[in-house]
């Protein structure tokens, strides 16, 4: 076998990615907030369309989601409401959002979803939403401050959760989110001292600055980047402190300006993206440096990233490829029609400091994107890159044994199943450094008590559904210690499929009336894994209903095509009906 070596230098992916040209919530928030810092919100492209895009993420429960149809989460709720406020637009039914936030309160801090374990990402977003948007205090400030105080590691930095702090996993992002949550909960810090050894925290943050002037996420990070620099400098500023070398930091940031005068995240990177300008302007603001020298260039560059109809993406919409759409194109084409340029692009999404693959280059590594890329053939012969992914995966595992979408996120079933499937593609999961007993323990914590047999939710305490239940059984089949456990998992899959089978074809995520593409894909995959016979006529009736001239719909009731991911899953399902068991890749979305 030929072993290739993929460069992880900070350079934009080469090859050919697939872009839908659509806006992204992260990017839209970053663009609007950057223009607000620059006092240029009058330059937002299509402000009405952008406001409608943000407001359209609102769910009936009062929270906001990353995209229509997804569950509400704390991060999306903060981004949507803050973006609307920056645009000077009203936020609808703030009381309903306040009630949703209360459901994510764990008793000590906030979780990203109701029932999930709290983490500092969610606690930062929801504390600020509760105070700045909803105008009320947090449910129990004393307990929140105690929880925040327990984020400090022995070395002085803050971690994602008290459990991670005991593991010594400090990160400048966790420091920023912890400090900003404390400030929001205490009226900007005016009503109490920080709940940490402040000098140790400041010293740890200052030590993350390198001689070149930029900051790293943590001692093990490979190179400095603007994301780490903004979070470190922002945390220090919130504490009334400055970096060890503020002039060096300012010079380093200004040295990351690209040809247009906007910014790149790493030295040597080739795309001036929305996140780099967001982090650069945020850093300059935290340093107290003038923003006027960069305002015109950044504003002009952000205008190039606007999408038709409102919202923004990370670079020019025609070139704003993402890992899921690109992997979907490769998988849809199949082995008979390889797409090496797209696989090369996917391999370029493994960038410095994190071994996983990013959804959009310049962002952060995500477990589902890593799974999709490996399933599409990325790094098939690159041992070094696969070792980096394995190491990243081991570090990603949470103290409760599960996995979240990215580092520091609370565990959920879909991410945990994606991590285990990723480990399997890497030749594991044995031998990769994962706590396999911990994985099974987290899976069991998602079992719904007093529910029907084999019912699981996506997170502990959440509503049961077919997909998390089948994901739980797939994990058990991969990690189960013996034949008895495998037989039990097989029986569970059989029960679940019978319970959620829709007579007209396909499977429903809840009940057995309305089938959907994600649940039907998961059902066929689980049946194959469990060795159960598939009724191809029943499955084919479903695929016939959702596949049409406009593409594949997410359900028979959904209008038109659902985009490249739906097209991919529909194509793979149709292919499975003729190719037989073992041909469906274990792709996870929700």
């Amino acid at each position: 076998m030929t072993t290739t070596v993929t460069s992880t230098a900070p350079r934009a992916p080469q090859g050919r990615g697939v872009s839908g040209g659509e806006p992204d919530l992260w990017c839209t928030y970053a663009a609007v907030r950057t223009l607000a810092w620059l006092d240029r919100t009058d330059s937002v492209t299509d402000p009405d369309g952008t406001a409608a895009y943000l407001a359209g993420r609102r769910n009936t429960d009062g929270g906001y989601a990353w995209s229509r149809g997804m569950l509400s989460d704390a991060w999306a709720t903060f981004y949507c409401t803050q973006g609307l406020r920056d645009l000077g637009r009203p936020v609808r039914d703030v009381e309903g959002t306040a009630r949703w936030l209360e459901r994510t309160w764990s008793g000590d801090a906030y979780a990203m979803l109701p029932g999930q374990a709290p983490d500092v990402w969610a606690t930062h977003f929801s504390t600020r939403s509760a105070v700045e948007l909803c105008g009320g205090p947090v449910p129990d400030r004393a307990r929140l401050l105690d929880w925040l105080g327990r984020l400090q590691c022995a070395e002085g930095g803050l971690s994602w959760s008290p459990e991670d702090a005991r593991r010594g996993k400090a990160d400048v992002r966790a420091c920023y989110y912890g400090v900003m949550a404390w400030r929001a909960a205490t009226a900007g810090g005016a009503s109490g001292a920080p709940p940490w050894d402040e000098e140790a925290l400041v010293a740890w943050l200052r030590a993350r600055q390198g001689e070149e002037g930029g900051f790293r996420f943590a001692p093990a990070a490979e190179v400095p980047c603007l994301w780490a620099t903004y979070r470190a400098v922002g945390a220090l500023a919130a504490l009334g402190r400055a970096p060890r070398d503020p002039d060096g930091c300012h010079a380093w940031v200004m040295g990351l300006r690209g040809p247009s005068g906007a910014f790149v995240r790493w030295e040597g990177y080739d795309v001036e993206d929305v996140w780099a300008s967001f982090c650069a302007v945020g850093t300059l603001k935290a340093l107290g440096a003038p923003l006027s020298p960069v305002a015109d260039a950044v504003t002009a560059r952000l205008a190039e990233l606007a999408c038709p109809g409102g919202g923004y993406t990370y670079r020019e919409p025609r070139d704003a490829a993402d890992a899921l759409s690109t992997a979907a194109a490769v998988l849809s084409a199949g082995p008979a029609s390889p797409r090496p340029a797209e696989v090369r692009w996917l391999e370029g999404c493994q960038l410095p400091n994190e071994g996983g693959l990013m959804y959009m280059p310049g962002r952060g590594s995500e477990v589902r994107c890593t799974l999709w890329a490996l399933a599409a053939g990325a790094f098939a012969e690159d041992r070094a890159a696969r070792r980096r992914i394995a190491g990243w995966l081991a570090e990603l595992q949470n103290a409760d044994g599960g996995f979240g979408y990215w580092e520091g996120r609370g565990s959920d079933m879909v991410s945990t199943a994606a991590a285990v499937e990723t480990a399997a593609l890497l030749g594991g999961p044995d031998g990769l450094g994962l706590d396999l007993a911990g994985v099974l323990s987290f899976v069991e914590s998602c079992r719904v008590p007093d529910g029907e047999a084999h019912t699981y939710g996506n997170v502990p305490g959440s509503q049961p559904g077919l997909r998390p239940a089948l994901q739980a059984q797939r994990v058990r089949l991969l990690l189960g210690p013996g034949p008895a456990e495998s037989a039990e998992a097989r029986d569970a899959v059989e029960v679940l499929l019978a319970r959620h089978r829709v007579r007209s074809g396909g499977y429903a995520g809840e009940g057995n009336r309305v089938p959907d593409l994600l649940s039907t894909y998961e059902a066929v995959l689980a049946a194959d894994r469990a060795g159960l016979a598939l009724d191809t006529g029943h499955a084919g009736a479903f695929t016939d209903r959702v596949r049409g001239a406009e593409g594949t719909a997410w359900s028979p009731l959904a209008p038109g095509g659902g985009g490249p991911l739906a097209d991919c899953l529909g194509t793979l399902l149709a292919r499975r009906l003729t190719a037989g068991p073992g041909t469906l890749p274990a792709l996870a979305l929700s």
Side-chain angles (χ1 to χ4, degrees):
M1 178 189 296
T2 301
T3 301
T4 60
V5 178
T6 299
S7 170
T8 54
R11 188 180 180 195
Q14 306 301 296
R16 182 171 56 245
V18 175
S19 170
E22 297 180 347
D24 174 82
L25 179 54
W26 210 127
C27 303
T28 301
Y29 166 79
V32 172
R33 177 51 56 95
T34 302
L35 291 169
W37 282 334
L38 297 172
D39 197 24
R40 298 287 184 92
T41 51
D42 57 347
S43 297
V44 170
T45 304
D46 192 356
D48 291 339
T50 299
Y53 170 77
L54 294 169
R57 310 275 80 73
R58 189 181 190 278
N59 287 326
T60 56
D61 61 12
Y64 292 73
W66 285 102
S67 61
R68 293 179 188 272
M70 293 184 67
L71 294 174
S72 301
D73 78 27
W75 197 325
T77 299
F78 178 83
Y79 276 2
C80 289
T81 56
Q82 291 282 326
L84 288 168
R85 285 156 57 90
D86 283 343
L87 289 170
R89 303 303 177 96
V91 178
R92 182 166 65 91
D93 187 19
V94 171
E95 295 80 8
T97 300
R99 289 192 294 272
W100 181 81
L101 288 171
E102 289 173 359
R103 292 177 54 212
T104 69
W105 176 257
S106 74
D108 296 301
Y110 287 100
M112 201 67 75
L113 304 168
Q116 199 169 28
D119 60 59
V120 77
W121 300 92
T123 296
H124 160 260
F125 295 127
S126 292
T127 299
R128 291 187 60 184
S129 293
V131 174
E132 297 172 13
L133 172 70
C134 302
V138 297
D140 190 329
R141 191 174 75 169
R143 294 188 69 169
L144 173 62
L145 294 177
D146 176 71
W147 187 88
L148 290 171
R150 290 186 280 122
L151 298 179
Q152 191 161 35
C153 300
E155 295 79 10
L158 305 187
S159 192
W160 313 108
S161 69
E163 295 77 17
D164 284 323
R166 291 193 289 271
R167 301 158 83 191
K169 299 180 68 172
D171 190 288
V172 300
R173 293 167 292 188
C175 294
Y176 175 86
Y177 294 129
V179 170
M180 296 305 289
W182 160 71
R183 281 178 56 84
T186 58
S191 58
W196 310 288
D197 180 338
E198 186 176 349
E199 294 307 317
L201 172 57
V202 169
W204 189 88
L205 283 166
R206 285 174 170 165
R208 304 285 71 78
Q209 186 178 18
E211 293 303 316
E212 73 288 310
F215 285 75
R216 290 166 169 78
F217 288 128
E222 298 159 330
V223 296
C225 73
L226 268 176
W227 190 11
T229 300
Y230 169 46
R231 295 312 187 195
V233 175
L236 287 167
L239 293 168
R241 306 299 187 96
R244 174 181 53 79
D245 179 7
D247 292 339
C249 181
H250 181 270
W252 181 81
V253 170
M254 296 301 286
L256 291 178
R257 300 182 79 185
S260 78
F263 293 85
V264 298
R265 178 172 164 185
W266 299 275
E267 184 179 354
Y269 198 67
D270 352 50
V271 176
E272 298 154 276
D273 61 39
V274 68
W275 302 300
S277 285
F278 168 78
C279 292
V281 173
T283 302
L284 295 174
K285 183 177 174 65
L287 288 171
L291 302 181
S292 56
V294 305
D296 288 345
V298 169
T299 300
R301 176 58 178 161
L302 292 179
E304 297 175 345
L305 315 184
C307 296
Y312 292 80
T313 187
Y314 72 100
R315 58 172 305 177
E316 301 88 343
R318 68 181 181 278
D319 297 321
D322 68 80
L324 291 177
S325 297
T326 303
V330 177
L331 290 162
S332 296
S337 303
R339 302 184 67 165
E342 284 79 2
V343 173
R344 184 185 179 204
W345 189 92
L346 287 169
E347 291 171 343
C349 290
Q350 188 185 51
L351 283 156
N353 299 328
E354 295 181 284
L357 278 76
M358 301 175 173
Y359 171 59
M360 290 174 167
R363 199 145 100 172
S365 295
E366 299 188 22
V367 68
R368 293 172 303 170
C369 300
T370 304
L371 172 62
W372 278 65
L374 288 175
F379 305 119
E381 298 183 358
D382 189 336
R383 295 174 184 170
R386 293 168 71 85
R387 283 196 298 270
R388 286 193 75 219
I389 294 172
W392 167 78
L393 201 63
E395 285 294 313
L396 194 67
Q397 188 169 17
N398 290 323
D400 62 10
F403 292 78
Y405 288 156
W406 51 78
E407 187 172 6
R409 275 288 303 261
S411 302
D412 61 76
M413 185 70 80
V414 67
S415 300
T416 300
V420 173
E421 296 286 0
T422 299
L425 290 177
L426 293 172
D430 292 328
L432 296 186
L434 304 183
D435 175 5
L436 303 184
V439 173
L440 292 170
S441 175
F442 172 75
V443 166
E444 284 309 296
S445 75
C446 295
R447 188 191 292 268
V448 177
D450 302 323
E452 294 181 280
H454 317 304
T455 54
Y456 290 78
N458 189 44
V459 298
S462 65
Q463 292 297 309
L466 174 63
R467 295 197 298 278
L470 292 178
Q471 288 156 8
Q473 301 310 324
R474 282 200 286 112
V475 170
R476 295 179 67 207
L477 285 166
L478 283 168
L479 303 185
E485 290 77 14
S486 295
E488 182 183 339
R490 180 185 184 278
D491 291 344
V493 171
E494 192 166 27
V495 169
L496 289 162
L497 296 186
R499 184 183 301 160
H500 292 275
R501 177 186 171 101
V502 178
R503 183 178 302 175
S504 60
Y507 294 84
E510 298 177 5
N512 63 353
R513 297 184 64 185
V514 181
D516 66 87
L517 180 61
L518 287 173
S519 298
T520 301
Y521 188 95
E522 184 70 59
V524 175
L525 172 63
D528 285 352
R529 287 289 182 84
L532 299 173
L534 178 68
D535 182 345
T536 56
H538 174 261
F542 173 80
T543 59
D544 289 345
R545 291 177 68 193
V546 295
R547 300 182 78 208
E550 297 182 9
T552 302
W554 289 109
S555 84
L557 302 182
L565 303 188
D567 289 342
C568 173
L569 297 180
T571 298
L572 293 173
L573 271 177
R575 190 179 297 157
R576 158 65 184 87
L577 298 182
T578 57
T583 57
L584 276 189
L587 305 177
L589 277 177
S590 68

